[in-house]
């Protein structure tokens, strides 16, 4: 994922931790800086980053709650980079957790300071279509 930040420039984050990094942390990178935070679940993948109107970062993660490859959980969390302490995992605020189901959410768009749209792909299942979910949250 890539996010344009007016203060820090381009922020980027891999879907899963890089080799040699902590296996249970996601990390955002910018030129000469990085910020880490705990994964939502031990097998979560960071799918998308978005900048909220207040300057915090919205993180979309997708995990599998069990052995099935056809059941997913999507998690939306807020990360305030400005509140991160050096050499510590940054705190996050859980905004929403979607119930386990077949939707493999992969992307999102912030519509305004109270709504976002998330989108799933068909998970390589030709019979499944694309799913859009409108999510409301408190600013």
């Amino acid at each position: 994922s890539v996010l344009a930040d007016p203060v820090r420039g381009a922020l980027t984050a891999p879907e899963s931790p890089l080799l040699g990094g902590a296996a249970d942390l996601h990390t955002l990178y910018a030129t000469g800086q990085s910020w880490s935070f705990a994964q939502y679940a031990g097998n979560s993948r960071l799918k998308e980053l978005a900048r909220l109107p207040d300057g915090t970062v919205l993180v979309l993660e997708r995990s599998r709650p069990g052995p099935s490859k056809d059941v997913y959980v999507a998690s939306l969390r807020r990360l305030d980079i400005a509140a991160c302490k050096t050499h510590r995992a940054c705190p996050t605020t859980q905004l929403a957790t979607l119930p386990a189901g077949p939707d493999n959410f992969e992307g999102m768009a912030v519509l305004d300071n109270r709504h976002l749209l998330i989108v799933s792909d068909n998970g390589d299942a030709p019979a499944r279509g694309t799913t859009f979910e409108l999510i409301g949250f408190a600013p």
Side-chain angles (χ1 to χ4, degrees), residues 30-47:
T31 302
Q33 299 176 314
S34 65
W35 305 268
S36 295
F37 58 98
Q39 293 179 347
Y40 170 74
N43 62 350
S44 71
R45 300 287 186 252
L46 193 150
K47 293 300 186 172

Side-chain angles (χ1 to χ4, degrees), residues 2-138:
V2 177
L3 168 67
D5 184 278
V7 175
R8 296 165 188 89
L11 301 177
T12 186
E15 185 173 16
S16 56
L18 298 176
L19 291 176
D24 60 345
L25 297 176
H26 287 303
T27 303
L28 275 63
Y29 298 93
T31 302
Q33 299 176 314
S34 65
W35 305 268
S36 295
F37 58 98
Q39 293 179 347
Y40 170 74
N43 62 350
S44 71
R45 300 287 186 252
L46 193 150
K47 293 300 186 172
E48 183 76 78
L49 301 171
R51 186 174 181 278
L52 293 172
D54 67 359
T56 60
V57 176
L58 183 63
V59 178
L60 171 65
E61 290 178 74
R62 189 262 301 141
S63 60
R64 291 189 173 109
S68 174
K69 294 187 179 210
D70 298 326
V71 177
Y72 305 97
V73 171
S75 168
L76 292 161
R77 295 189 290 160
R78 182 188 315 256
L79 171 66
D80 184 357
I81 292 174
C84 292
K85 305 290 184 207
T86 305
H87 304 296
R88 288 190 170 164
C90 300
T92 58
T93 303
Q94 191 73 28
L95 298 179
T97 304
L98 279 69
D103 293 316
N104 181 23
F105 289 102
E106 296 278 353
M108 66 182 166
V110 175
L111 303 177
D112 58 33
N113 68 347
R114 297 182 61 87
H115 300 92
L116 67 127
L117 188 67
I118 60 174
V119 61
S120 75
D121 62 12
N122 68 1
D124 292 328
R128 287 197 48 81
T130 299
T131 302
F132 292 92
E133 293 280 340
L134 180 64
I135 307 288
F137 63 93

